[in-house]
Amino acid sequence: MERDTEKATYTSESDRTDAEPSIQIPDDKTSNADGVIMVNDHPPPTAPAKPEEPSPTPPTAADQVPDGGLTAWLQVVGSAAILVNTWGMINTFGVFQAYYEAHLLKEHSSSDISWIGSTQAALLFLVGVFAGPLYDAGYFRQLLMVGLFLIVLGQFMTSLCTSYWQVMLAQGIAMGVGMGLTFLPSAAILGQYFSRHRALALGLASAGSPVAGTIFPIMFSRLQPAVGFGWATRAIAFILLGMSAVPLVFMRTRVPPTGKARAIIDRSALRDVPFVLFVTGGLFAFLTLYVAFFYITLFATSHGVASDSFAPYLVTLLNVGSILGRIIPNALADRWGALNVMIACTFCSAVLAFGWLGVRDLGGSVVYVLLYGAFSGGVVSLTPSVIVGLSPDMGRVGARMGMSFVVSGAAILVGTPIAGAILGNEENPQWLGTILYAAFGLVVATLFYSVSRFLMYRQKGDWKA
């Protein structure tokens, strides 16, 4: 609360008299009984000053979060570029999945192919357990350089792949490791520059993901028939290369590092029940959240609700909806609390997942993907903001993000292949079981998030978190 320096409250008139300033007489003058000011040729010696009480230590530069300014917003721009190279590519995998099933890897099942995308997404989270402590120790720039190099290299190598193991190594493992080295630092650094507007900054940065997820599928779908798989993939790789220059030029840490890496596991987090429940909710959320992103194209073609040429654009529309889902919920989170808004987004995603069962035509599928993209985008983009809010100090943010990301990464690794296994083969797909699997997973996630929110209220007495 800001102090009002111009007003003061007095309990009595004597207090007002004592508090109001009196006329000061210089040391070389005195006043006689008649009030006449006399000049002293030899002023009395000045009495020694009384020792003052020690003033509180002024806040350090690390404590004074700028919450804006050119440097701070350049970090948001750099983080958005990293989200293009990380989550943007993960959100694009649906068109690669469809292409692999129809052409390059058609001898492999849907579940086998989905392991490539789930490995990529899982490593984005799993590598965070190492990237987090290294970020806390001050290796931010090194993490960016190595990670961005691996992402670009993996995309270029994917354009040369002809077999399953090659695609898994390039697109799944190399790119996944690079994503894991860059994503967590890009989210954690914003906590050094923003406090009151932290959720909004994270939301604006995460908008880079759906923007890329909107553009890249269109690029691939248009270029692949004209120039082939190789050059369509390389065109995306050149964009990733250009985007990599943005964070390398602009992003810098503001808070001095600790100088040594923290432990990979923050033991205090294991005793923090709201944090543990939140991570458990993340397990169920990310186990099922991306089922629609991976399988909506196949659903549309198998049900005849969209032509083979238009079906890949459903992934694009998912990401169009996600653009608003990355910005609006995060803007609301600064006012209403990040976890509160995240609970609402997860619940709405669960309701929409059940609504997937009712999609019967092109219009319904378009409305569905736009809405699901919006609310699922809120779930993903709010996660770092909630973790920052659950951390006792900024020095533990990296480690706690890493711990949470390990659980979420393991969920993504097995989540979509489980959905593929439930779906079965293309001749007799079990869409009912696949959709219910996605919907009930999000319901369970909502319950865990809600209990975590309730326990936080009991600890702090405040519904905002």
Side-chain angles (χ1 to χ4, degrees):
M1 181 181 295
E2 296 182 358
R3 296 180 58 187
D4 189 347
T5 59
E6 297 181 358
K7 299 179 181 179
T9 303
Y10 305 96
T11 58
S12 67
E13 187 64 28
S14 61
D15 292 338
R16 177 183 295 274
T17 304
D18 294 338
E20 290 178 350
S22 60
I23 300 175
Q24 300 296 322
I25 301 175
D27 293 339
D28 61 344
K29 300 179 181 179
T30 59
S31 175
N32 61 12
D34 296 327
V36 179
I37 299 175
M38 310 292 293
V39 178
N40 296 328
D41 294 332
H42 303 286
T46 304
K50 295 181 179 180
E52 297 180 355
E53 296 182 0
S55 60
T57 304
T60 63
D63 298 326
Q64 297 170 346
V65 179
D67 238 335
L70 178 61
T71 302
W73 288 111
L74 284 176
Q75 310 311 304
V76 176
V77 173
S79 183
I82 290 176
L83 266 292
V84 168
N85 288 20
T86 54
W87 280 109
M89 289 305 302
I90 291 173
N91 290 348
T92 304
F93 187 77
V95 294
F96 284 97
Q97 169 105 14
Y99 176 81
Y100 292 154
E101 289 186 22
H103 301 93
L104 187 64
L105 304 176
K106 59 183 179 181
E107 68 276 8
H108 294 272
S109 67
S110 297
S111 182
D112 290 340
I113 295 171
S114 68
W115 275 102
I116 299 170
S118 66
T119 298
Q120 185 184 75
L123 286 173
L124 179 147
F125 283 118
L126 292 173
V127 176
V129 74
F130 304 103
L134 289 173
Y135 164 80
D136 290 335
Y139 294 98
F140 175 74
R141 299 284 298 172
Q142 292 86 338
L143 289 170
L144 287 193
M145 288 187 286
V146 176
L148 292 170
F149 171 77
L150 287 175
I151 292 172
V152 174
L153 176 66
Q155 184 70 11
F156 274 114
M157 291 299 101
T158 301
S159 68
L160 303 175
C161 294
T162 58
S163 61
Y164 180 86
W165 72 268
Q166 292 173 344
V167 178
M168 173 62 80
L169 181 62
Q171 192 172 22
I173 296 177
M175 294 186 69
V177 171
M179 292 173 181
L181 293 175
T182 55
F183 171 63
L184 185 149
S186 74
I189 192 175
L190 297 184
Q192 297 186 10
Y193 288 88
F194 294 91
S195 177
R196 290 184 300 113
H197 304 301
R198 180 188 301 136
L200 177 61
L202 286 164
L204 291 173
S206 66
S209 165
V211 169
T214 301
I215 295 173
F216 289 162
I218 296 175
M219 280 186 58
F220 184 84
S221 299
R222 289 297 186 92
L223 290 175
Q224 186 274 321
V227 299
F229 170 76
W231 274 109
T233 305
R234 281 190 285 275
I236 296 176
F238 279 114
I239 294 178
L240 299 182
L241 179 62
M243 297 300 296
S244 299
V246 178
L248 291 176
V249 171
F250 294 121
M251 298 189 79
R252 298 289 187 278
T253 54
R254 186 185 64 86
V255 178
T258 60
K260 60 179 180 179
R262 285 184 178 271
I264 291 178
I265 297 177
D266 177 14
R267 296 185 182 276
S268 66
L270 301 178
R271 300 186 296 272
D272 189 343
V273 179
F275 176 78
V276 172
L277 289 173
F278 175 77
V279 172
T280 306
L283 169 67
F284 288 96
F286 286 99
L287 196 67
T288 54
L289 191 68
Y290 276 87
V291 172
F293 281 83
F294 277 49
Y295 292 103
I296 190 64
T297 300
L298 185 61
F299 174 87
T301 55
S302 65
H303 283 73
V305 301
S307 63
D308 290 346
S309 60
F310 184 82
Y313 290 101
L314 292 176
V315 178
T316 298
L317 293 174
L318 269 170
N319 287 283
V320 170
S322 190
I323 294 174
L324 296 178
R326 303 301 177 104
I327 298 174
I328 295 177
N330 282 272
L332 297 175
D334 285 324
R335 179 181 294 271
W336 293 343
L339 184 51
N340 295 333
V341 179
M342 188 170 182
I343 291 170
C345 289
T346 309
F347 176 74
C348 291
S349 297
V351 172
L352 287 167
F354 282 111
W356 191 358
L357 293 169
V359 174
R360 292 290 183 270
D361 53 29
L362 180 60
S365 63
V366 169
V367 172
Y368 168 75
V369 295
L370 286 172
L371 291 175
Y372 187 82
F375 287 105
S376 63
V379 176
V380 175
S381 63
L382 285 166
T383 298
S385 182
V386 174
I387 296 173
V388 172
L390 289 171
S391 300
D393 56 71
M394 294 305 298
R396 303 186 189 187
V397 168
R400 288 203 173 198
M401 277 193 183
M403 294 170 64
S404 175
F405 286 2
V406 165
V407 176
S408 300
I412 287 182
L413 178 64
V414 300
T416 49
I418 289 175
I422 296 173
L423 183 63
N425 55 47
E426 295 186 29
E427 288 75 20
N428 187 29
Q430 303 297 317
W431 285 106
L432 176 62
T434 303
I435 294 172
L436 290 179
Y437 160 75
F440 279 110
L442 292 169
V443 169
V444 175
T446 304
L447 293 176
F448 274 103
Y449 288 155
S450 300
V451 176
S452 174
R453 176 72 279 248
F454 176 72
L455 292 180
M456 287 180 65
Y457 167 75
R458 296 190 63 178
Q459 288 180 359
K460 300 180 179 181
D462 185 3
W463 282 111
K464 181 177 179 180

